[in-house]
Amino acid sequence: MRRNRHDAFTRRLVAENALSVDDLIWPIFIKEGIGEPEPVASMPGVLRVGLHSLARHVEEAARLRIPAIALFPATPPEHKNAQASEAVNPENLICRASRVLKAEFPQIGLIGDSALDPYTDHGHDGILREGYVANDETLEILVRQSVNQADAGIDIIAPSDMMDGRIAAIRAGLDASGHIHTRLMSYAAKYASAFYGPFRDAIGSAGAFKGDKKTYQMDPANAEEALHEVALDLAEGADMIMVKPGMPYLDIICRVKEKFQVPVFAYQVSGEYAMLAGAIERGWLDHDRVILESLLAFKRAGCSGVLTYFAPTAAKLLRA
Ligand code: PBG
């Protein structure tokens, strides 16, 4: 076996998978009313940016030819309430940011998150009725939120809330409003994970949030259920599938890809980033190698691409 590993040229020839800039999606945190970007404490190297510095922030991604970015809003407490009304405001931060970015960088794909947690005062992804997240009532809001985002220039709607039936509902809403080209990237297998902690800090949904999301996100014990979720979302019209978190769920990615020959994406989430970036910062892990290895693992598992906070760093390393 070692003859084929003997020198670099043979290793290149026999390599089964490769990571390229075309595989990278960069999630970005946007915050209302800030001038200079501010750091996210639990995610070393990640920033929250205001609308004014957004174009400057994205310029590098454009230069590196990162194909797409995913936008997440940090909403001030005064814009949050029980109905998540800011989610359906056509002038909300995400819609304004999309218009700016679409005009400035028409070649970059824009991914909008469809979920209510940035906008609810309790931090859940839907409307609460007696402590339970109401599915169908939430769907109506998700549809309006998605159509607004498509109106504002979002190319791909990525529903991350795990309500049942949302893909069919959003597809119908988009089609009815003429957005026939808007794609749906479904967070089909999204687990109720402890690895989302730093994200909730970053968008400011951690404060009021109590408890967990186990009544709608998946149980980390389950794998077959993920295949069921994916089958339903594909039948409802999902164009692309996502598995989340990433690294602890490579088995799920692999099984989904084996069963369904569709584009599958992974989200290397905030907690995974924090683990790697924290260890890199302390000098415990090698920056370049560990970032690229962690991302290549997703390609080996069968992913078409990866949402990763390392996207600009990885793009630079891949170009070098
Ligand atoms: C919420 C949402 C979450 C993430 C993306 N969208 C967190 C959650 O479900 O509580 C997590 C992303 C990350 O941790 O990087 N709709």
Side-chain angles (χ1 to χ4, degrees), residues 115 117 125 160 190 196 199-200 213 217 244 269-270 309:
D117 56 308
D125 291 42
S160 70
K190 173 169 176 179
Y196 308 147
F199 174 94
R200 293 177 191 167
K213 300 188 177 182
Q217 298 179 349
K244 173 182 176 190
V269 299
S270 57
Y309 302 95

Side-chain angles (χ1 to χ4, degrees), residues 254-270:
C254 198
R255 288 177 69 170
V256 167
K257 189 66 190 184
E258 250 166 33
K259 186 152 178 113
F260 307 96
Q261 285 71 44
V262 299
V264 178
F265 291 81
Y267 198 143
Q268 185 182 49
V269 299
S270 57

Side-chain angles (χ1 to χ4, degrees), residues 228-271:
H228 191 176
E229 284 281 6
V230 170
L232 290 171
D233 284 2
L234 289 173
E236 288 180 29
D239 303 290
M240 311 167 195
I241 291 298
M242 196 202 297
V243 173
K244 173 182 176 190
M247 290 166 68
Y249 295 86
L250 288 176
D251 60 320
I252 305 299
I253 295 166
C254 198
R255 288 177 69 170
V256 167
K257 189 66 190 184
E258 250 166 33
K259 186 152 178 113
F260 307 96
Q261 285 71 44
V262 299
V264 178
F265 291 81
Y267 198 143
Q268 185 182 49
V269 299
S270 57

